[in-house]
Amino acid sequence: MAWRCAGISWPRGARTGVLVWEGGRVSPLVAGKAVGFRAEGERRCVGARGNPCPVGAVVSGRATQARCAECARLDRAHSVAADTMADDPRTYRVYLAWFGPGMLKVGITAEERGPARLLEQGAVVFSWLGRGPLMAARRTEELLRTALGVPDRIPYAAKRAARTALPGAAERSAEVAELHRRALALPEWAQSLERMDFEAVDHTGVFGLDGLEPASAVVRELVDGGVVAGELVAAAGPDLHLRTAGEGIVVVDTRLMTGWSLTAAEPTAGVSVPMTDVRAGDVQGGLF
């Protein structure tokens, strides 16, 4: 039987993430769980906003979004990130997220989503900074970028590398606390944005990062007939860290799994898809 993956979800209050499958089935991502799947056929567009792609377009195996150009345009047309929803009446929160030493970013998320956005990004530690209308939150986000040089994006490769060499909890929290203090001291805050006290939320335990070993490789794409299989050791953001037979710790971004028909494979089957050897810095090679 073939299944189609819809990515990782982080249910409110749950201690682990779940892998979501089209049709509503979920698979809890518990450390030690056996994971094994084989891609079949071609990768097809998943559509936009709950609607299927009208042409079932074939999409690139390396794209982190399994959408054709038209469906991607429609999906982004209703995206907060694209600034197309200036009249959104919901309350938004501004957050500070920490991914490793010196890697902090600022962002916004709808208050109703709670910490889901931070879990989806793989934030190791975060703190809320303020809450209020969308455009006030957006202006504050821009203020931190310009006044304090805080980025709104951190490359996933940097996030993955940092997970295996994290400092202690106190040091993680202190770096976020210092940026929070500097941010609140800025005089140009939007008047309609309520400032929030510092409170560090640490996801190390939720993600399973304590003692995480460095990865040997990162899956670059799935291919027809290609297998990814191993034992789950950690799940952070969209990434699964798998202990595999022969290849060591391999990271697979679950966003690469969407759009494929996947069938079960033995957990001992190893990995037979294109990978990047992160130890050697190989970004061009074929199979690892």
Side-chain angles (χ1 to χ4, degrees), residues 135-178:
M135 296 315 293
R138 182 66 81 198
R139 286 195 297 273
T140 302
E141 180 186 37
E142 181 61 26
L143 172 63
L144 265 66
R145 286 203 299 262
T146 56
L148 300 180
V150 184
D152 62 348
R153 295 181 186 275
I154 300 289
Y156 269 98
K159 294 180 187 180
R160 291 166 184 145
R163 289 175 193 151
T164 60
L166 296 176
E171 186 175 342
R172 298 194 294 262
S173 176
E175 195 169 353
V176 185
E178 172 60 18

Side-chain angles (χ1 to χ4, degrees), residues 82-166:
D83 283 333
T84 59
M85 302 172 63
D87 58 348
D88 189 334
R90 295 177 295 174
T91 297
Y92 279 78
R93 289 196 177 195
V94 184
Y95 61 80
L96 299 175
W98 184 94
F99 300 90
M103 289 191 291
L104 295 104
K105 62 156 284 187
V106 60
I108 67 173
T109 185
E111 186 171 68
E112 64 194 37
R113 297 201 67 211
R117 181 67 180 140
L118 286 305
L119 290 160
E120 291 166 357
Q121 294 181 57
V124 180
V125 182
F126 83 91
S127 176
W128 300 120
L129 185 63
R131 62 186 298 273
L134 171 59
M135 296 315 293
R138 182 66 81 198
R139 286 195 297 273
T140 302
E141 180 186 37
E142 181 61 26
L143 172 63
L144 265 66
R145 286 203 299 262
T146 56
L148 300 180
V150 184
D152 62 348
R153 295 181 186 275
I154 300 289
Y156 269 98
K159 294 180 187 180
R160 291 166 184 145
R163 289 175 193 151
T164 60
L166 296 176

Side-chain angles (χ1 to χ4, degrees), residues 43-47 59-60 63-68 255 258-259:
R43 192 185 192 197
R44 299 280 177 174
C45 175
V46 297
V59 295
S60 168
T64 52
Q65 277 200 62
R67 290 190 175 93
C68 65
R255 296 175 299 176
T258 59

Side-chain angles (χ1 to χ4, degrees), residues 263-283:
T263 59
E266 289 296 322
T268 57
V271 183
S272 58
V273 298
M275 292 188 288
T276 296
D277 183 345
V278 295
R279 297 169 302 183
D282 171 24
V283 296

